[in-house]
Amino acid sequence: VAIFKKEKPLPPEDEPEGIRDAYVQMLRMISMKPIQLLFVMLFTWKVPFAVAESVAPVKFQEYGVPKEHIAYVTSVLMPMYIMIPIVAARWTGGKMPLKLAMAVYPLRLATGPLTAILAFYTPASLSPIPWIFYAFLVLVIAAAAATSELMFVSQMAFFAHVSDPAFGGTYMTLLNTMG
């Protein structure tokens, strides 16, 4: 593409700003009270999921679930990962894109204890494979992944909604970095 595609030169008023100006804009944004409150919310709203999402796979492996089996589950769920943003666009395109995230937040909170219970009841021996265990594993991972993806799509839609187009990608970059 780089070889065959020729671009027209930008007019001077459309030229991107310098790096210094972008950082000055970011510092101005960070000093705004609503942005500071948003950062506090973004920092704290994912804390309840950290333990379950980071420790659970390690615990499953510790209890004898092969790493490959967890990878297989993720592979099976790939079509869901692809479809969720398409489905979520219906609810995130309006005036209140975070409404979807707030609706699925309690469901995502519920996946933490479900994951802990599943890890606690992981069979000592996985030979032969207990299919009921894997069915529950797929359901819990699917629920956690779906709610996580819905919250992510909702958050990105919110960032796009509140970003000031006059600042270009500076707002989106800052919000995505903090989110």
Side-chain angles (χ1 to χ4, degrees):
V1 172
I3 296 170
F4 299 109
K5 173 82 172 129
K6 301 293 182 210
E7 293 186 7
K8 299 175 191 169
L10 286 173
E13 64 272 5
D14 290 341
E15 281 290 327
E17 299 171 357
I19 292 175
R20 183 184 169 284
D21 292 334
Y23 280 103
V24 169
Q25 282 179 355
M26 265 196 232
L27 288 174
R28 277 192 221 129
M29 285 185 282
I30 291 171
S31 68
M32 291 191 275
K33 190 71 170 168
I35 298 294
Q36 292 171 355
L37 291 173
L38 177 64
F39 287 169
V40 169
M41 192 256 334
L42 291 172
F43 181 72
T44 57
W45 84 324
K46 293 182 183 176
V47 170
F49 319 123
V51 173
E53 291 180 1
S54 61
V55 174
V58 175
K59 282 297 179 189
F60 286 132
Q61 290 173 27
E62 181 181 310
Y63 294 149
V65 177
K67 202 181 325 184
E68 296 83 18
H69 291 194
I70 296 171
Y72 296 150
V73 170
T74 305
S75 299
V76 167
L77 297 176
M78 196 54 63
M80 181 188 75
Y81 282 109
I82 294 168
M83 292 304 295
I84 284 179
I86 296 167
V87 173
R90 175 185 310 167
W91 295 289
T92 58
K95 293 180 181 179
M96 297 178 12
L98 272 183
K99 191 173 183 179
L100 176 64
M102 294 296 105
V104 299
Y105 192 84
L107 300 173
R108 188 167 179 202
L109 278 176
T111 63
L114 289 175
T115 304
I117 291 168
L118 189 61
F120 182 78
Y121 286 109
T122 301
S125 171
L126 293 175
S127 181
I129 298 172
W131 290 103
I132 191 76
F133 169 77
Y134 280 104
F136 282 123
L137 183 67
V138 169
L139 286 173
V140 169
I141 290 175
T147 55
S148 175
E149 192 74 12
L150 286 167
M151 286 179 65
F152 175 76
V153 170
S154 183
Q155 180 179 319
M156 292 302 111
F158 174 72
F159 290 167
H161 184 75
V162 299
S163 293
D164 187 351
F167 294 126
T170 306
Y171 252 101
M172 285 295 288
T173 301
L174 178 65
L175 294 173
N176 281 319
T177 300
M178 296 310 292

